[in-house]
Amino acid sequence: RTCVKDPDYDPPSKSKTKPDDSDDGIKLCNTSNERKCRDDCFDKKCDSSNGVFTDCHRQCRYKCCDEDRDGGKDSGDSDDTDDSDDGQCHKEGEKAIECGADSKDGRFHACCKGLKCSDDRTCVKDPDYVQSDSDDDDDKSDDTPLCNNEEETECRDKCYDQNCEIGEKQCRKECRLKCCEEEDSDDSGDTGGVTRPSDDSDDGQCHKEGEKAVECGADPKEGRFDVCCKGYICSGDRTCVKDPDAPPDGDDDDDDSDDTPLCNTEEENECKLECYEKNCEIGEKQCRKECRQKCCERTDGSRPSSDEGRPTRSPTRRPTGTAAPTREELSCNGITQGERARIMFMRLSLISDPEDLLDMDTPQGRAYDWIVSKDERRLCPLEENLEQRYALAVFYYSTEGDDWSDCSARDDDCDGSRAFPGAEPWLSKESECAWAGISCNARSEVRNMELPDNDLRGSLPDEIQVFSSLDIIGLEDNKIGGTIPDTFNESLIRLRLNNNRLTGEIPSTLPSRLIALYLNSNELEGPLDGVIGSLPNMRQLQLNDNQLSGDIPSSLASMKNLRIARFEENMIEGSMPDRVCRQKEEADENEENGDSDYLMWLSVDCDMVECDCCSPSCDGETAPTPDSPSAPSPTPRPPRPTPPSGSPGDGICPGISDDDRIQEIFDELSEISDQDELNDLDTPQGKSIVWLVTEDEKQLCPGDETLAQRYILSILYYSTSGDDWTDCSQDDNSCDRNGDPWLSESSECEWGGVQCNMKGFVETIELDVNNLDGTIPFEMKDLKFLDILNFENNRLRGEIPDEFNDTLVRLRLNKNRLTGTIPGTLSTRLVALYLADNNLEGTLDDLLEGTRFLNRLELENNRLSG
């Protein structure tokens, strides 16, 4: 990459030629390190005297190539170079870095041959320059066809970085041949010259009048090419306009050969990529022409309007800066923006139809366009939450998100809305877990999606299958139409779609783990056979006020946990199966003893369905609404038995009597809880010891290493109204947290939401969104190996315990009703603390002094001060 003397060069007279500064003998690396060095140098010396930028050029070339400064000639002031920067140079009227321009304004370093720097950092004609006959020869020395695909770009980047000694021309030549798989056809034999760029810079790709260009600050999707064509400059609206100062020297000749209108759509982009890869022999301009014609389907050459042929764009927020993004800003781990988009397309094609991704009239196409080019979070293609964030964007566009009542992408007051206080608007740059109505688990996977009464329209997309940890969907009281997707993930346990405009049949492939299904007040039709038989864990089934038909299948009796079933206001006929009525009669008898909640509510249209066991609808009573306070509740259960007192036992534990077993367990647990509370059978501690010594089928003995933790977990159960938990209460045989019911005979490590280490000690308790109602017991500090505690989104009251064990690293208590101050003695090893959306007060002094390793702290929506 050095300049050597041309033996055939006939120098003009000195009176007509200015001194040449370009023979500094320094090799060009053209790497990111070199470019950054030179940019920094130019910025620091921008106001210095003329000639200082030549020193920057020399200084950073040496630094890049790790060469000694041995022969570099300080040539003083320099106004132009011989097409430096690997043959890429700026033409007249363009800003060049050697003239002091910012690296964003001047993409290349030097002015082209015959030009010099002016005071406004642009390249102007050098009146003292005399053109020689050899000047035109250099421009014709590289006619290798241009492929312009990802493989060629990657090849050239590696060539520039790894081969500091060879020139730009050689890299372009080698990589073009490699790309096109052709033999070396360049017989010019000239390795010392430079290649002049085409009139349309950036490999012949440039924007004409009225088109947006990246160099003007346009988004890469709006301006696919970097620069305006020769003779055009940037205007205030990021488009290219004619340069009134451009000389009429025939520079527009090249542009006239391709006046086909520009569509700038996904179809055009895909067509051109295929053209470059398959037709290596034809030129770049020919590919552009062919694909433009194919895209626009025009033969008259007229240009489309500003909206015609372009994707419809939603008014999402995006950066307002006017500078064109650098390669580093548009890449992930060194890949180009095109490679990033291509990998994203491949991943998302596994979720959505590829044709939908390329169709800007579909929610999938709009979501793909948003996540690739508009999302300010700028995910890299291999990030774990790519599919999740994309699927939420599809949901947004499918339900006409721009017209939502609250927290649409354009809603700047989302955090102050009554429906979603403190939340972020959808499609904002924040994590999707912070968007309104979305809550996630500890792994940042979507757990709940609740957007009731928010004017959602459109339909539900199949991409909802992406949410593998989704527990609850609450979209009631909206205007959602279309059919119910049959792609819900098996994790779903509650589905609320009542009061919408849904049509079609109820899918028979709904998740078998569903315990609550609210589809009332829609326009659903069809029979119930496939639905009823596929939901064995159902507790609340509300299908009233639809157009369902047929009869009620006998498989309804297989829903052993069913509490409420509503079928009225449909076209259902026939009679209630005898098996269902017999089962309900038996349950009613047991309910008198507090042992059953089976079918507390069973309602039909009494004039169409014969039902002797339906109540209360056939008696004229009003049916309850979901979660209504008026819904019937089971008869209160009788108090639990008190522990035995002093009578000899059968010797549960070897070597001691049952009386001694009780006394020794009492003494052991007295070191954890107050004795007065242990003796009071109305306290959680008293209930726990009674359960542990008389009811627990595990029948632990004194000294058992798991006795203390089993006792503490039972205190937690009674302290938070465990019998009323949503999932995994003592009588919940269909526990939905990958475990057994609490207080069951199995190991406490197998109870729902509990995880233990290899030695059987509790490490994690996750009971978020589970209707925990009560206080957190202070005995939790004696769980010696507890790492993660997640009680998010419950009804916990009272104060936070003063102390947890120092093993605790993550504590999630947000979205509860906690009061008091934040203790400074929680755990010195805490790295994440979530206490948002409570009623906490006081200052943060003690907390910040006692926790040194915090990297995530969420305290919003409290009453903190100071």
Side-chain angles (χ1 to χ4, degrees):
R1 301 184 181 178
T2 60
C3 297
V4 297
K5 287 185 177 181
D6 183 1
D8 300 325
Y9 177 65
D10 184 15
S13 61
K14 293 184 178 179
S15 61
K16 296 183 179 180
T17 307
K18 60 180 292 181
D20 189 2
D21 298 332
S22 62
D23 58 341
D24 55 10
I26 303 167
K27 296 171 180 156
L28 174 64
C29 294
N30 197 29
T31 63
S32 58
N33 291 334
E34 176 193 355
R35 290 192 290 271
K36 185 177 186 301
C37 172
R38 284 189 281 184
D39 289 345
D40 292 342
C41 181
F42 299 153
D43 290 341
K44 293 178 182 177
K45 301 182 179 183
C46 186
D47 298 327
S48 301
S49 60
N50 192 19
V52 74
F53 300 111
T54 304
D55 295 334
C56 287
H57 218 57
R58 179 182 298 109
Q59 170 187 330
C60 294
R61 280 177 166 178
Y62 275 121
K63 181 177 181 180
C64 161
C65 293
D66 295 325
E67 296 179 356
D68 294 328
R69 190 166 184 171
D70 55 353
K73 180 181 177 181
D74 187 358
S75 53
D77 295 346
S78 175
D79 288 326
D80 93 304
T81 63
D82 288 341
D83 292 357
S84 59
D85 193 20
D86 295 328
Q88 296 179 339
C89 60
H90 281 288
K91 302 178 184 64
E92 186 175 6
E94 298 177 349
K95 292 184 178 181
I97 293 178
E98 73 165 353
C99 301
D102 184 88
S103 58
K104 296 287 184 66
D105 296 327
R107 291 188 59 250
F108 312 131
H109 289 286
C111 296
C112 293
K113 186 181 294 185
L115 304 178
K116 68 174 185 178
C117 293
S118 66
D119 294 338
D120 60 353
R121 303 182 183 180
T122 59
C123 299
V124 297
K125 286 186 177 180
D126 182 3
D128 298 325
Y129 176 74
V130 177
Q131 183 175 1
S132 64
D133 295 338
S134 63
D135 288 345
D136 293 334
D137 296 336
D138 290 340
D139 296 337
K140 302 175 183 179
S141 60
D142 185 14
D143 57 357
T144 314
L146 173 65
C147 293
N148 197 30
N149 59 17
E150 301 294 342
E151 290 78 4
E152 177 190 325
T153 302
E154 182 179 0
C155 173
R156 282 193 283 179
D157 288 343
K158 290 181 179 179
C159 180
Y160 303 154
D161 292 340
Q162 298 174 3
N163 300 286
C164 189
E165 294 78 10
I166 68 174
E168 151 73 358
K169 176 193 290 186
Q170 189 65 21
C171 280
R172 293 182 69 197
K173 175 181 174 183
E174 289 184 3
C175 293
R176 279 179 166 177
L177 292 176
K178 180 178 180 181
C179 158
C180 296
E181 299 179 358
E182 295 181 355
E183 297 296 330
D184 187 355
S185 60
D186 183 20
D187 55 1
S188 64
D190 184 0
T191 60
V194 293
T195 302
R196 183 180 299 278
S198 63
D199 288 340
D200 291 348
S201 56
D202 190 22
D203 289 330
Q205 298 180 344
C206 63
H207 283 289
K208 301 181 180 66
E209 185 174 10
E211 298 174 356
K212 293 186 177 182
V214 175
E215 72 166 352
C216 302
D219 186 273
K221 275 284 184 178
E222 298 175 314
R224 288 195 56 250
F225 312 133
D226 289 322
V227 298
C228 297
C229 294
K230 189 173 183 179
Y232 297 92
I233 59 175
C234 293
S235 66
D237 61 353
R238 304 182 183 181
T239 60
C240 300
V241 296
K242 285 187 177 181
D243 183 0
D245 300 325
D249 55 359
D251 288 341
D252 292 334
D253 292 343
D254 288 341
D255 294 339
D256 293 339
S257 62
D258 182 17
D259 57 357
T260 315
L262 174 65
C263 294
N264 199 29
T265 62
E266 296 291 344
E267 290 80 358
E268 177 190 286
N269 182 33
E270 183 178 6
C271 171
K272 281 193 281 187
L273 287 175
E274 292 178 356
C275 180
Y276 302 154
E277 294 174 357
K278 295 179 180 179
N279 302 288
C280 191
E281 294 77 11
I282 69 175
E284 150 75 358
K285 185 169 295 186
Q286 185 64 24
C287 279
R288 291 178 66 199
K289 181 178 180 181
E290 290 185 3
C291 292
R292 280 177 166 178
Q293 290 175 344
K294 179 178 179 180
C295 159
C296 296
E297 298 180 355
R298 292 174 180 265
T299 58
D300 57 1
S302 61
R303 183 178 301 280
S305 65
S306 58
D307 295 330
E308 183 180 2
R310 292 182 181 269
T312 303
R313 300 186 179 275
S314 59
T316 56
R317 288 178 279 175
R318 62 187 181 202
T320 57
T322 58
T326 64
R327 179 185 177 91
E328 287 76 19
E329 291 172 341
L330 293 177
S331 63
C332 298
N333 298 323
I335 66 173
T336 66
Q337 174 70 353
E339 290 169 335
R340 171 179 173 269
R342 180 172 294 188
I343 298 173
M344 282 185 168
F345 182 85
M346 292 173 62
R347 286 189 65 180
L348 300 180
S349 294
L350 302 176
I351 303 171
S352 302
D353 190 321
E355 293 185 0
D356 289 338
L357 289 175
L358 297 176
D359 186 353
M360 291 300 299
D361 291 330
T362 66
Q364 292 78 8
R366 298 177 69 185
Y368 173 65
D369 174 64
W370 172 80
I371 203 165
V372 170
S373 63
K374 295 181 180 180
D375 185 7
E376 296 181 40
R377 203 166 183 86
R378 299 210 62 81
L379 294 183
C380 290
L382 298 182
E383 294 195 42
E384 291 185 359
N385 65 325
L386 172 66
E387 289 92 344
Q388 172 174 285
R389 195 169 176 89
Y390 161 77
L392 288 176
V394 174
F395 175 83
Y396 178 85
Y397 289 116
S398 294
T399 56
E400 302 180 17
D402 287 342
D403 296 325
W404 288 358
S405 301
D406 292 297
C407 298
S408 68
R410 64 180 73 181
D411 186 359
D412 294 330
D413 298 324
C414 173
D415 58 348
S417 67
R418 296 181 62 183
F420 309 104
E424 296 291 337
W426 278 59
L427 306 192
S428 66
K429 66 180 179 181
E430 306 300 331
S431 166
E432 61 273 15
C433 294
W435 293 352
I438 299 297
S439 60
C440 297
N441 59 21
R443 297 178 297 277
S444 296
E445 299 167 338
V446 173
R447 174 68 66 83
N448 297 342
M449 180 190 295
E450 298 184 273
L451 294 164
D453 193 16
N454 201 39
D455 206 18
L456 275 67
R457 302 168 184 264
S459 60
L460 297 177
D462 289 338
E463 283 77 6
I464 208 162
Q465 64 181 311
V466 168
F467 310 122
S468 59
S469 299
L470 188 61
D471 284 347
I472 298 174
I473 294 178
L475 304 177
E476 64 270 25
D477 301 319
N478 283 291
K479 300 174 184 178
I480 300 173
T483 59
I484 301 173
D486 58 359
T487 55
F488 293 110
N489 200 282
E490 271 296 317
S491 63
L492 193 66
I493 59 176
R494 284 181 173 79
L495 179 59
R496 300 198 304 269
L497 298 175
N498 46 302
N499 294 306
N500 277 284
R501 300 173 180 176
L502 297 169
T503 59
E505 297 186 1
I506 303 174
S508 60
T509 55
L510 290 174
S512 60
R513 296 181 61 195
L514 272 176
I515 63 174
L517 179 62
Y518 303 94
L519 298 178
N520 49 295
S521 303
N522 280 285
E523 300 171 16
L524 299 170
E525 57 188 14
L528 299 176
D529 301 68
V531 183
I532 299 296
S534 62
L535 302 173
N537 299 311
M538 186 59 59
R539 297 180 186 176
Q540 295 199 37
L541 180 64
Q542 305 221 18
L543 304 178
N544 50 297
D545 192 14
N546 279 287
Q547 301 173 22
L548 300 172
S549 58
D551 54 11
I552 298 176
S554 60
S555 56
L556 181 67
S558 64
M559 296 181 174
K560 302 294 185 181
N561 300 308
L562 192 61
R563 299 176 181 177
I564 296 176
R566 299 186 59 186
F567 303 105
E568 72 270 20
E569 297 182 75
N570 279 290
M571 295 184 288
I572 299 173
E573 300 177 335
S575 61
M576 184 65 62
D578 292 340
R579 181 182 169 193
V580 175
C581 286
R582 286 197 305 270
Q583 196 161 295
K584 186 179 186 314
E585 291 172 359
E586 295 175 1
D588 290 341
E589 295 177 1
N590 294 329
E591 187 179 357
E592 296 177 1
N593 298 322
D595 292 339
S596 177
D597 299 332
Y598 178 72
L599 276 180
M600 298 182 300
W601 197 274
L602 177 61
S603 57
V604 296
D605 290 318
C606 295
D607 57 340
M608 299 178 66
V609 178
E610 181 180 350
C611 181
D612 296 333
C613 59
C614 289
S615 89
S617 65
C618 287
D619 297 331
E621 298 183 36
T622 303
T625 58
D627 302 323
S628 169
S630 63
S633 57
T635 304
R637 304 184 187 280
R640 298 187 180 276
T642 58
S645 57
S647 58
D650 297 329
I652 294 175
C653 298
I656 60 173
S657 66
D658 289 345
D659 286 343
D660 291 336
R661 169 181 175 266
I662 295 173
Q663 185 61 51
E664 291 185 22
I665 289 178
F666 182 93
D667 293 340
E668 190 172 333
L669 300 182
S670 295
E671 298 179 4
I672 300 175
S673 301
D674 185 87
Q675 289 191 6
D676 291 338
E677 292 179 331
L678 286 171
N679 284 316
D680 187 350
L681 301 185
D682 291 329
T683 65
Q685 292 77 7
K687 293 178 181 178
S688 295
I689 194 171
V690 169
W691 170 80
L692 194 64
V693 300
T694 65
E695 300 178 25
D696 185 11
E697 296 183 19
K698 204 167 182 64
Q699 297 184 337
L700 295 181
C701 294
D704 191 294
E705 60 182 3
T706 63
L707 176 67
Q709 75 176 16
R710 195 169 177 88
Y711 164 71
I712 294 170
L713 292 184
S714 65
I715 294 178
L716 173 63
Y717 182 86
Y718 290 115
S719 295
T720 57
S721 305
D723 287 341
D724 296 325
W725 286 0
T726 305
D727 294 313
C728 304
S729 64
Q730 184 177 11
D731 297 323
D732 184 5
N733 295 324
S734 57
C735 178
D736 290 305
R737 291 181 180 264
N738 297 321
D740 298 329
W742 279 54
L743 306 191
S744 64
E745 63 182 359
S746 60
S747 166
E748 61 274 13
C749 295
E750 298 176 4
W751 294 351
V754 178
Q755 296 181 17
C756 295
N757 59 22
M758 296 293 292
K759 295 184 178 180
F761 295 111
V762 174
E763 275 189 331
T764 300
I765 303 176
E766 290 190 280
L767 294 172
D768 51 315
V769 200
N770 202 38
N771 198 32
L772 275 67
D773 190 352
T775 59
I776 304 173
F778 74 93
E779 286 89 351
M780 298 291 293
K781 65 180 176 58
D782 287 300
L783 293 175
K784 303 298 184 183
F785 297 90
L786 186 63
D787 285 339
I788 299 174
L789 185 60
N790 182 5
F791 294 159
E792 175 184 353
N793 206 350
N794 283 290
R795 301 178 182 179
L796 295 175
R797 306 182 303 275
E799 298 184 352
I800 301 172
D802 289 340
E803 184 180 357
F804 289 89
N805 196 276
D806 262 348
T807 57
L808 191 66
V809 294
R810 286 181 175 82
L811 179 59
R812 287 179 174 267
L813 300 177
N814 45 310
K815 296 184 179 179
N816 279 283
R817 303 172 183 177
L818 298 170
T819 56
T821 60
I822 303 175
T825 54
L826 288 175
S827 169
T828 58
R829 294 185 57 202
L830 269 179
V831 298
L833 179 61
Y834 302 84
L835 299 177
D837 301 296
N838 281 286
N839 295 311
L840 300 169
E841 54 191 16
T843 65
L844 303 179
D845 296 343
D846 293 339
L847 170 66
L848 298 181
E849 289 179 3
T851 51
R852 298 175 295 167
F853 304 107
L854 276 178
N855 60 39
R856 187 66 183 265
L857 178 63
E858 294 189 4
L859 302 175
E860 65 267 25
N861 295 327
N862 280 288
R863 300 178 181 177
L864 300 171
S865 59

